[in-house]
Amino acid sequence: NAGVTQTPKFQVLKTGQSMTLQCAQDMNHEYMSWYRQDPGMGLRLIHYSVGAGITDQGEVPNGYNVSRSTTEDFPLRLLSAAPSQTSVYFCASRPGGRGYGYTFGSGTRLTVV
Amino acid sequence: GQQVMQIPQYQHVQEGEDFTTYCNSSTTLSNIQWYKQRPGGHPVFLIQLVKSGEVKKQKRLTFQFGEAKKNSSLHITATQTTDVGTYFCAGRYETSGSRLTFGEGTQLTVNP
């Protein structure tokens, strides 16, 4: 099992550019989430999904879009990158039901200049 | 809004000393999870607490959930250099569905 795979690991964007962060899991997990991590601010939820075809907003959704066309994939799209979106992005997944923790990917470090 | 406050933000200990981090919420939590993130790494799930007053142990780690389900703690006995990292609590509220709210984390350094 590869677990949760995120690509790319590093990315530099210019302000205004768009891009998609990829996330794939091979554990047949129902729930998937995107978090951003900034120094001293913990992990903040951007968007999440409880199953294929179902997505919802988290705490900080502005400037990001997601889709969940399959159970395995949950890409995060930056519409028009801004310096405030410089961060480390983590994708995570877990099985449905109670009692399960999230399995995190290794993260994407994004810099917007 | 629903927030999980975690203290302290930083903790430096000598190897062999104990360490505790605390999480507090102003409203009742359904459950709380704990994660560890090594420097440069990603968060790794440690445990989930659900019941009021629950205590769980994993070797030198002891996790507690308060009676009112508004606070939780992680205690490490006799720290080792392998304990270095940031420890996060993450709470779930009844009104937030499956969403987790993470605390800011406690960064632990251990001097050998």
Side-chain angles (χ1 to χ4, degrees):
Chain A
N1 280 352
V4 179
T5 302
Q6 289 185 240
T7 56
K9 293 193 184 304
F10 301 94
Q11 183 71 49
V12 179
L13 286 179
K14 294 183 178 179
T15 297
Q17 287 185 317
S18 64
M19 80 159 294
T20 299
L21 307 186
Q22 301 293 344
C23 176
Q25 52 92 7
D26 62 357
M27 299 172 284
N28 202 33
H29 285 174
E30 289 182 59
Y31 291 9
M32 297 186 75
S33 297
W34 275 103
Y35 291 90
R36 59 177 289 174
Q37 185 173 35
D38 303 294
M41 300 188 73
L43 292 133
R44 291 184 292 168
L45 182 64
I46 305 172
H47 285 285
Y48 66 103
S49 169
V50 298
I54 306 169
T55 64
D56 207 346
Q57 296 181 350
E59 303 170 60
V60 288
N62 292 342
Y64 307 95
N65 273 353
V66 291
S67 60
R68 184 98 181 269
S69 55
T70 66
T71 299
E72 294 78 18
D73 300 299
F74 192 43
L76 178 72
R77 184 165 178 82
L78 279 70
L79 307 173
S80 177
S84 61
Q85 294 178 305
T86 293
S87 188
V88 180
Y89 291 84
F90 288 103
C91 178
S93 73
R94 74 170 180 88
R98 299 177 181 268
Y100 297 101
Y102 275 95
T103 299
F104 281 78
S106 56
T108 294
R109 187 174 295 274
L110 176 69
T111 302
V112 183
V113 298
Chain B
Q2 292 164 337
Q3 271 188 308
V4 176
M5 307 301 293
Q6 190 171 356
I7 57 169
Q9 190 173 359
Y10 303 97
Q11 186 76 58
H12 309 279
V13 299
Q14 289 294 128
E15 190 172 18
E17 292 181 339
D18 292 356
F19 158 76
T20 305
T21 174
Y22 302 90
C23 281
N24 292 287
S25 170
S26 58
T27 53
T28 303
L29 296 161
S30 294
N31 58 55
I32 194 159
Q33 297 182 350
W34 286 90
Y35 292 81
K36 177 184 178 181
Q37 184 177 24
R38 294 183 186 275
H42 57 274
V44 174
F45 174 68
L46 295 176
I47 208 161
Q48 175 172 285
L49 304 172
V50 179
K51 299 177 182 176
S52 168
E54 189 169 15
V55 178
K56 288 188 177 180
K57 293 190 176 185
Q58 289 180 348
K59 297 183 180 178
R60 293 178 295 105
L61 278 62
T62 302
F63 304 85
Q64 293 189 327
F65 202 9
E67 293 290 340
K69 299 181 71 173
K70 291 184 178 181
N71 57 75
S72 181
S73 64
L74 158 60
H75 179 82
I76 302 179
T77 303
T79 54
Q80 299 175 359
T81 55
T82 54
D83 295 324
V84 164
T86 301
Y87 292 85
F88 292 97
C89 61
R92 191 176 74 84
Y93 296 92
E94 279 296 340
T95 56
S96 63
S98 63
R99 295 165 48 165
L100 287 177
T101 300
F102 277 80
E104 300 93 342
T106 296
Q107 187 175 321
L108 173 65
T109 56
V110 181
N111 296 322

